[in-house]
Amino acid sequence: MRWIKLLLKICAGILLSLVFFLLLLFRSDIPEEEIIQKYSTPESHFIEVDGVKLHVRFMGEGIPIILIHGSFSSLHTWDEWQRELSPYFLTISVDLPGHGLTGPDELQRYSIMDYSQIILRLAEKLNIPRFHLAGNSMGGAVALQVASTRPDQVLSLNLIDSSGAPQLSPRTLEGEPSSSSSGRPWIFQVAENPIFSKVLLKCTPKFLFGMNLKQVYGDESKIKQEAIDRYFELMLREGNRQATLDRLKGPRNSNIDFERLTMPTLIMWGKEDSWISVAQAYALEKAIPDSHLVIFDGVGHVPMEEIPTESVSKYLSFLGVEVRRNYLDEPKFMTYDF
């Protein structure tokens, strides 16, 4: 009987320790007004599209470029790019529903097709008939869907470590298709787990976001505490955690026809991307006729954050803006017919 009592004491101690640990990790939602006040900028606008109040940031003037962020991210991923592109173009970045300051969609429209439709509806509402389009990660898949649905509206396409490539069929030594779940980033596996996901709704530790950024950057020394804080706090925006779980549980619902992608296309990839293998870059290059591929050595999943100057200069060159050694010289532009 004594050993049973001892065992019960040990179990009770473990249970109390677990409860105490979870209490330490408990994080309540950050109210909408508070998070907007902290992370909106003078260039921020909130535009209602199909019942969702989208956070959109405009910088510059001229031919428009729409910038689409990836999963777990926000329009802030384009901060440096918007500053560099805005002297030449009208840049439009947007927080997709369930992300950033936009927050959740009551109708849970979080699929790739849903996101592509909201981008097209936003362009319609802004009276932008044609535009350049750039997307990273999940945002690349959204850009692909937009370009496939309305190729007549997309002047050019820039895919940065993009999902949405034609499916590869890896095989084991026995010749059977291998499971792809084990190769998924751990953050997706944790968020999709029915037990851990319920815990994460209320107990969301900041260190997970630091670990996540270490996985998506090729050079960890370039990760700033400011970025970790921003990713963490925007996830705590009221409703975003539940929206993230709803999005991951829902269907992707994409229907990309690569034969319709006849616009000029630039594919950019970090060679050290551990989220989406560089093999996907070559698959996209093969699938999209006359596309141009640039690989960045030593770089991870988000080149626009990790090496913003080098990556945006490649994009500017693709768009016909000469990156000059002598900044007193006039830039040269490529003409796009509207």
Side-chain angles (χ1 to χ4, degrees):
M1 292 295 293
R2 186 175 299 175
W3 68 269
I4 295 178
K5 291 181 179 179
L6 178 62
L7 182 61
L8 289 174
K9 287 182 179 179
I10 293 173
C11 291
I14 293 173
L15 181 60
L16 287 173
S17 299
L18 179 60
V19 170
F20 180 71
F21 179 68
L22 291 176
L23 287 173
L24 288 176
L25 296 180
F26 176 81
R27 297 291 185 275
S28 59
D29 282 344
I30 299 176
E32 179 182 356
E33 298 79 9
E34 180 181 334
I35 200 76
I36 287 176
Q37 184 176 6
K38 181 169 184 178
Y39 285 107
S40 62
T41 68
E43 296 82 18
S44 290
H45 298 265
F46 290 87
I47 302 172
E48 186 168 334
V49 178
D50 290 343
V52 179
K53 193 164 62 175
L54 292 177
H55 175 220
V56 184
R57 184 169 61 189
F58 300 90
M59 292 179 67
E61 57 184 24
I63 299 174
I65 300 176
I66 298 178
L67 303 166
I68 311 174
H69 65 76
S71 187
F72 302 104
S73 190
S74 69
L75 61 73
H76 295 83
T77 197
W78 303 107
D79 282 354
E80 296 296 328
W81 268 41
Q82 282 203 267
R83 278 191 280 271
E84 295 290 339
L85 291 168
S86 59
Y88 313 103
F89 299 92
L90 169 61
T91 63
I92 305 168
S93 60
V94 55
D95 280 334
L96 294 173
H99 298 77
L101 299 183
T102 293
D105 175 7
E106 291 183 358
L107 299 180
Q108 298 185 15
R109 291 168 292 186
Y110 302 130
S111 73
I112 298 299
M113 186 67 77
D114 290 331
Y115 283 156
S116 71
Q117 288 302 310
I118 208 162
I119 293 296
L120 287 168
R121 290 283 290 113
L122 174 64
E124 180 183 354
K125 190 153 193 174
L126 296 175
N127 195 26
I128 298 174
R130 304 192 72 193
F131 46 85
H132 299 287
L133 193 58
N136 169 243
S137 193
M138 176 190 72
V142 176
L144 281 165
Q145 186 63 68
V146 171
S148 173
T149 303
R150 291 300 305 268
D152 57 308
Q153 290 189 240
V154 179
L155 294 167
S156 75
L157 189 59
N158 183 12
L159 305 172
I160 309 163
D161 294 75
S162 171
S163 61
Q167 289 295 312
L168 302 175
S169 300
R171 300 208 167 247
T172 63
L173 292 175
E174 290 75 22
E176 294 299 323
S178 63
S179 172
S180 59
S181 61
S182 60
R184 297 196 73 199
W186 63 267
I187 189 66
F188 288 91
Q189 297 184 48
V190 170
E192 291 172 352
N193 182 284
I195 297 175
F196 287 124
S197 63
K198 288 182 173 60
V199 174
L200 288 174
L201 271 177
K202 293 299 181 183
C203 302
T204 309
K206 184 184 285 189
F207 71 79
L208 286 181
F209 293 82
M211 291 170 59
N212 193 51
L213 283 181
K214 287 180 179 179
Q215 193 175 47
V216 299
Y217 273 59
D219 182 356
E220 294 181 10
S221 69
K222 294 182 178 179
I223 300 173
K224 299 177 181 177
Q225 184 61 44
E226 176 188 353
I228 297 174
D229 293 343
R230 185 184 70 241
Y231 273 92
F232 173 65
E233 291 176 3
L234 288 175
M235 179 58 75
L236 296 187
R237 188 261 192 226
E238 192 174 9
N240 273 356
R241 283 182 286 186
Q242 183 62 62
T244 298
L245 298 181
D246 292 338
R247 175 171 59 84
L248 294 176
K249 288 187 296 185
R252 287 183 63 85
N253 281 356
S254 62
N255 183 24
I256 300 165
D257 183 353
F258 287 91
E259 292 185 359
R260 290 169 63 83
L261 305 181
T262 57
M263 66 289 296
T265 300
L266 175 65
I267 303 166
M268 307 169 74
W269 224 270
K271 192 173 183 179
E272 306 305 319
D273 189 340
S274 62
W275 272 33
I276 305 179
S277 165
V278 72
Q280 300 293 314
Y282 294 110
L284 283 169
E285 182 186 30
K286 183 177 179 181
I288 303 174
D290 301 319
S291 57
H292 180 59
L293 174 62
V294 175
I295 305 288
F296 298 110
D297 290 333
V299 178
H301 186 62
V302 285
M304 65 284 178
E305 289 190 31
E306 190 174 353
I307 52 165
T309 301
E310 182 180 352
S311 56
V312 79
S313 68
K314 294 289 186 184
Y315 187 36
L316 281 167
S317 179
F318 168 74
L319 292 173
V321 178
E322 183 180 5
V323 180
R324 296 154 288 139
R325 293 181 181 272
N326 182 356
Y327 283 86
L328 295 177
D329 292 340
E330 289 293 324
K332 298 178 181 178
F333 295 92
M334 183 181 295
T335 300
Y336 291 88
D337 296 325
F338 276 80

